[in-house]
């Protein structure tokens, strides 16, 4: 996975969490929590895969 792909993913995930998952600036909705969990899981996997290259 290229650096651009990771950056594109992070940008899209941040957008989704902010626009679809925020109740207000301090709280995530249930969808926001699920999006954040998914984001964290995928991001962690990209870091693990990048270390093994």
């Amino acid at each position: 996975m290229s650096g651009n792909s990771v950056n594109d993913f992070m940008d899209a995930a941040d957008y989704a969490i902010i626009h679809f998952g925020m109740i207000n600036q301090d709280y995530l909705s249930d969808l926001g929590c699920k999006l954040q969990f998914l984001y964290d899981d995928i991001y962690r996997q990209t870091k693990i895969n990048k270390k093994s290259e």
Side-chain angles (χ1 to χ4, degrees), residues 24-39:
N24 60 40
Q25 289 185 336
D26 297 323
Y27 297 102
L28 291 174
S29 66
D30 288 339
L31 175 60
C33 290
K34 290 176 184 176
L35 289 169
Q36 185 67 54
F37 178 78
L38 180 62
Y39 169 86

Side-chain angles (χ1 to χ4, degrees), residues 1 5 8 10 20 22 24 26-29 34 46:
M1 183 176 274
S5 297
D8 289 346
M10 291 174 64
F20 302 113
M22 301 286 297
N24 60 40
D26 297 323
Y27 297 102
L28 291 174
S29 66
K34 290 176 184 176
T46 62

Side-chain angles (χ1 to χ4, degrees), residues 3-23:
N4 287 340
S5 297
V6 172
N7 290 337
D8 289 346
F9 163 74
M10 291 174 64
D11 291 343
D14 287 340
Y15 178 86
I17 291 167
I18 291 167
H19 291 287
F20 302 113
M22 301 286 297
I23 293 173

